[in-house]
Every structure is written in structure tokens, then in C-alpha cells.
């Protein structure tokens, strides 16, 4: 495709409730939206970086800088080449993924092909799970979980940290004995906590996600020998190569896949393929995406290896007014959009109301090549 220009939009969406994890509390989602204009078509991509570098090293202002200074000069109009063209730029997977998925969306819309068809979806809808933040008290947590279960969510994930683990997880398990339940520590523990984490073994959890720091593959392998709850990696899995390594070393019995964390949808699919080849179940993570990022995630989650419910929740879990038509829960599932590209477009009235800044960068020599 011949790219005409790229629009960057900084938007801010209030969350329906504060979301607390071991790395902080969010009350709003600052989101960077990428719009590609090419061959008369347009494509949309969402950068999942947060305002601050607390989940990973990336953050919104840094991602915007990397996109403008280092990625756009390397962008071509061929979505198959984008991820390789960006390879000389080390790191910054969320910035890369936002640009490459926006271009892919434009390309797919032009061809009348949906993200799901392109990626190899085998389902028309996907099981929805929900991620529940750290609360001030166990009764407050139980109320939140009860409400999500009543809505129909097929799996609940509890955010944990030292001081908020055994008691809340035990309480939820006692209230919901058959609920598919898992935890996410976002790197908050060390191997010295192994005996403590083993106390959650009797709760029959699907998995514990990223208990140790992201660079501690050996530690996760050792922890996996000391607890019976399956260990799932999120932050650690930044490429298909690392996924293969972690699985081979016994550090990952399950893998969380987030396109933004791994640099794009093609790498995300490669990780899926590696996991399927090793018999390792995968599920689609979430980064509080608006409908733009959510649409692409739901399409990815329809691939055959995604055998566990993802953090692919309904729009209403996070936003009173999403940027697109809302994703709604139907019998605990979300429908995979079937239209061209993402199958959804932002509601320009809502998008404009939420936009705090827009920058248009016309195609230069670097990214106008077909
Ligand atoms: C995880 N997500 O799996 C992440 C982390 C996370 C749904 O639990 C603002 C933006 C707040 C992105 C909080 C879920 C966030 C965020 C947590 C991502 O580890
Ligand atoms: Mg996680």
C-alpha cells in the first residue's frame, strides 16, 4: 500500500472503577491511537502502553517518541514486512505493535478480510474472563466477584501481592467452589515466597500468572517444582524465542499472549504456534484496551490454541462509553467481529470528545514506499 500519512491521537478515558494491581492504581486510561491512511483506506491501532513504565519499560510519551523518530522512517506499506523492518529498533514492542496493527487493519479493510480470517480464527465467539483488582477488604472483593459471576464471566482472575493473597483467594474459592479461578502477581514475589505460594495449591487454581520478575526464567522453573498450581508467564514472554526457552526449561506450563507485549500480531501468532507445538495452553491477556485493541484481541483469541478464557472482557468492565460500539457479553462470550479488518471503527464523536491531542504526520520518504 502507499501510505499517505499517520495520525497519532492521545485520548483519555475514565475507568468505571479504580483498578489496583501490585504496581499501582489506575483511575483513567491514557491511550495512544494510531490511524494509518493508505490507498484511500484507513486502519486503526491501539498502543497498550500505560502512562508510566510500571507494567513494563514502555509508557505513552516514550512510545509516541519512538513511533515518530524511529518506526515511521522504517515503515513500508507491506504489513508482512513491518515487524522485520522494525527489528533494528530494540525493544518498544507496544509502539511497534500499535503501528503494525494499524497498517494491517488498513490492508485487511482494503481486501475485505477480517482480522480473524487473516489470523486463522476457528471460532465465532470466545470465552470471556475478567481480571479483578486488589481491593480494600475481602467483603468488597466478594461483592465484585459475585457481580462478575452474575454477569456470566466464565473465569475470574484475582490480582494478588504479598499481604493480599491467601485470604482473598480462599474466600473467593469458598464462595464459588466450581468457578474457574486464577491469580496474577505482576512480578510481586521472589523465590523465597515459594512455601507461602504453595499454600494456595489446595484452592484448585487454573494457574498463577507471573509471580516472579520478568527476567527470572530459572526462578519460575524452580518455583514450578515447588508448587502444584501451574505457572503461567505474562511479562517474561516477549518473543516466540523466549516462549520456546521458558517452556523447554519448565518455567511456563501456560502462556498469556498480548500482541502489544510481543511487538505485534504476527509475533503473537508465532508464540501461539510454538505453544501449540509444545502442548502448552494459551490465553489472550488484556491491557484495558478500548474497542480498537479489544477487537483485534478477540480475533486472536479465536485461534485454536487459545483453550483458556482470556482477559477479553466486555467494554463495560472498564468503560461507560467505549471508543467503538461496545463489546457485550452474551452467555459469557464475546463475538469475534466478522467485518473487514478489525470489524469495528471508533465512534468519531466519542473519540473526539476523549482526544486531548492529535498529530498528523504526512508520509515522508521513509514510509511512502509501496
Ligand atoms: C496483566 N492486565 O495481565 C494486565 C496488567 C495491567 C487486565 O489484568 C492500565 C493499563 C492499567 C494497563 C493494569 C489485566 C493496567 C494495565 C494492569 C495492565 O498483567
Ligand atoms: Mg498479567
Amino acid at each position: 500500500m502507499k501510505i499517505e500519512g499517520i495520525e497519532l491521537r492521545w485520548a483519555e478515558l475514565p475507568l468505571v472503577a479504580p483498578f489496583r494491581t501490585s504496581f499501582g492504581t489506575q483511575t483513567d486510561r491514557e491511550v495512544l491511537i494510531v490511524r494509518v491512511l493508505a490507498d484511500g483506506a484507513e486502519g486503526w491501532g491501539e498502543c497498550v502502553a500505560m502512562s508510566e513504565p510500571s507494567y513494563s519499560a514502555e509508557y505513552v510519551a516514550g512510545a509516541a517518541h519512538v513511533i515518530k523518530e524511529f518506526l515511521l522512517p522504517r515503515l513500508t506499506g507491506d504489513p508482512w514486512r513491518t515487524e522485520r523492518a522494525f527489528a533494528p529498533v530494540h525493544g518498544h514492542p507496544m509502539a511497534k505493535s500499535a503501528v503494525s496493527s494499524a497498517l494491517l487493519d488498513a490492508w485487511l479493510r482494503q481486501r475485505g478480510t477480517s482480522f480473524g480470517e487473516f489470523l486463522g480464527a476457528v471460532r465465532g465467539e470466545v470465552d470471556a474472563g475478567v481480571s479483578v483488582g486488589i481491593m480494600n477488604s475481602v467483603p468488597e472483593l466478594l461483592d465484585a466477584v459475585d457481580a462478575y459471576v452474575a454477569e456470566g464471566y466464565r473465569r475470574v482472575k484475582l490480582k494478588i501481592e504479598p499481604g493480599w493473597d491467601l485470604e482473598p483467594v480462599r474466600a473467593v474459592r469458598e464462595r464459588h467452589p466450581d468457578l474457574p479461578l486464577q491469580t496474577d502477581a505482576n512480578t510481586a514475589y521472589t523465590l523465597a515466597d515459594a512455601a507461602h505460594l504453595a499454600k494456595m495449591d489446595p484452592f484448585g487454581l487454573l494457574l498463577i500468572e507471573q509471580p516472579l520478575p520478568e527476567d527470572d526464567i530459572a526462578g519460575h522453573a524452580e518455583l514450578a517444582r515447588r508448587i502444584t498450581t501451574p505457572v503461567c508467564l505474562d511479562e517474561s514472554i516477549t518473543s516466540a524465542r523466549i516462549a520456546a526457552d521458558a517452556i523447554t526449561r519448565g518455567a511456563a506450563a501456560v502462556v498469556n499472549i498480548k500482541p502489544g507485549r510481543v511487538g505485534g500480531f504476527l509475533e503473537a501468532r508465532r508464540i501461539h504456534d510454538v505453544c501449540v507445538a509444545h502442548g502448552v495452553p494459551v490465553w489472550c491477556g488484556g491491557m484495558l484496551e478500548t474497542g480498537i485493541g479489544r477487537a483485534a484481541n478477540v480475533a486472536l483469541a479465536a485461534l485454536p490454541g487459545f483453550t483458556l478464557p482470556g482477559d477479553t472482557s466486555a467494554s463495560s468492565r472498564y468503560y461507560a462509553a467505549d471508543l467503538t460500539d461496545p463489546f457485550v457479553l452474551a452467555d459469557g462470550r464475546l463475538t469475534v467481529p466478522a467485518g473487514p479488518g478489525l470489524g469495528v471503527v471508533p465512534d468519531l464523536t466519542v473519540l473526539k470528545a476523549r482526544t486531548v491531542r492529535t498529530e498528523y504526520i504526512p508520509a515522508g520518504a521513509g514510509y511512502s514506499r509501496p
Side-chain angles (χ1 to χ4, degrees):
M1 301 184 95
K2 182 160 166 43
I3 299 171
E4 290 142 33
I6 306 281
E7 184 184 84
L8 297 180
R9 271 178 186 269
W10 287 255
E12 233 170 88
L13 284 80
L15 296 174
V16 292
F19 187 48
R20 179 171 158 200
T21 67
S22 57
F23 56 78
T25 304
Q26 305 292 310
T27 55
D28 296 273
R29 182 72 168 108
E30 185 191 358
V31 62
L32 178 66
I33 303 290
V34 179
R35 180 192 208 172
V36 170
L37 300 155
D39 289 354
E42 66 175 20
W44 296 89
E46 176 168 345
C47 180
V48 299
M50 303 171 59
S51 309
E52 296 180 5
S54 38
Y55 164 83
S56 72
E58 289 184 276
Y59 59 100
V60 173
H65 183 263
V66 166
I67 289 171
K68 288 190 277 184
E69 298 296 324
F70 305 113
L71 300 184
L72 295 189
R74 290 177 166 83
L75 184 62
T76 76
D78 179 356
W80 289 99
R81 270 164 47 191
T82 310
E83 290 178 26
R84 223 173 310 160
F86 290 166
V89 178
H90 285 225
H92 304 286
M94 295 173 180
K96 292 172 176 175
S97 181
V99 175
S100 61
S101 49
L103 178 66
L104 180 57
D105 183 37
W107 191 78
L108 290 172
R109 284 184 203 265
Q110 199 186 45
R111 277 158 185 73
T113 304
S114 70
F115 251 71
E117 278 173 80
F118 171 77
L119 292 171
V122 294
R123 287 179 278 272
E125 60 273 326
V126 300
D127 289 351
V130 62
S131 176
V132 185
I134 292 166
M135 306 270 170
N136 291 319
S137 71
V138 169
E140 197 184 327
L141 174 70
L142 289 174
D143 286 349
V145 170
D146 287 355
Y148 290 129
V149 169
E151 273 188 70
Y153 282 104
R154 290 176 175 259
R155 180 228 73 189
V156 168
K157 160 169 136 180
L158 303 179
K159 290 290 191 178
I160 58 169
E161 66 180 358
W164 181 263
D165 44 28
L166 292 185
E167 198 196 346
V169 177
R170 180 184 293 114
V172 171
R173 177 47 86 215
E174 280 173 4
R175 174 90 69 118
H176 299 280
D178 302 319
L179 176 67
L181 188 64
Q182 63 194 52
T183 56
D184 185 0
N186 289 111
T187 76
Y189 295 90
T190 73
L191 200 50
D193 298 310
H196 178 72
L197 294 172
K199 292 181 187 156
M200 286 192 278
D201 286 346
F203 301 149
L205 301 176
L206 286 169
L207 56 91
I208 178 172
E209 180 180 348
Q210 199 69 43
L212 309 180
E214 50 265 59
D215 60 359
D216 198 2
I217 299 298
H220 282 101
E222 179 56 29
L223 179 65
R225 288 180 216 113
R226 300 196 203 169
I227 66 178
T228 62
T229 304
V231 172
C232 170
L233 294 184
D234 172 359
E235 286 90 331
S236 293
I237 305 299
T238 52
S239 68
R241 193 180 297 120
I242 291 181
D245 183 52
I247 291 166
T248 306
R249 291 169 186 271
V254 182
V255 169
N256 164 324
I257 301 182
K258 292 174 179 168
R261 197 193 60 226
V262 306
F265 281 84
L266 299 181
E267 188 69 7
R269 187 167 63 179
R270 262 175 234 123
I271 295 174
H272 162 271
D273 295 348
V274 162
C275 291
V276 168
H278 283 88
V280 165
V282 305
W283 55 280
C284 185
M287 291 293 287
L288 281 58
E289 287 88 351
T290 73
I292 297 169
R294 194 164 301 277
N297 285 352
V298 167
L300 180 70
L303 266 61
F306 285 77
T307 54
L308 292 168
D311 283 342
T312 42
S313 307
S315 296
S316 62
R317 159 67 183 88
Y318 296 112
Y319 305 111
D322 204 338
L323 296 183
T324 63
D325 281 347
F327 281 81
V328 294
L329 221 52
D331 196 21
R333 299 192 174 94
L334 297 185
T335 301
V336 180
L342 295 174
V344 297
V345 282
D347 176 327
L348 291 179
T349 312
V350 180
L351 179 58
K352 279 178 186 154
R354 297 294 174 212
T355 297
V356 293
R357 197 156 92 84
T358 303
E359 209 171 308
Y360 183 73
I361 304 137
Y367 62 106
S368 60
R369 281 175 276 136

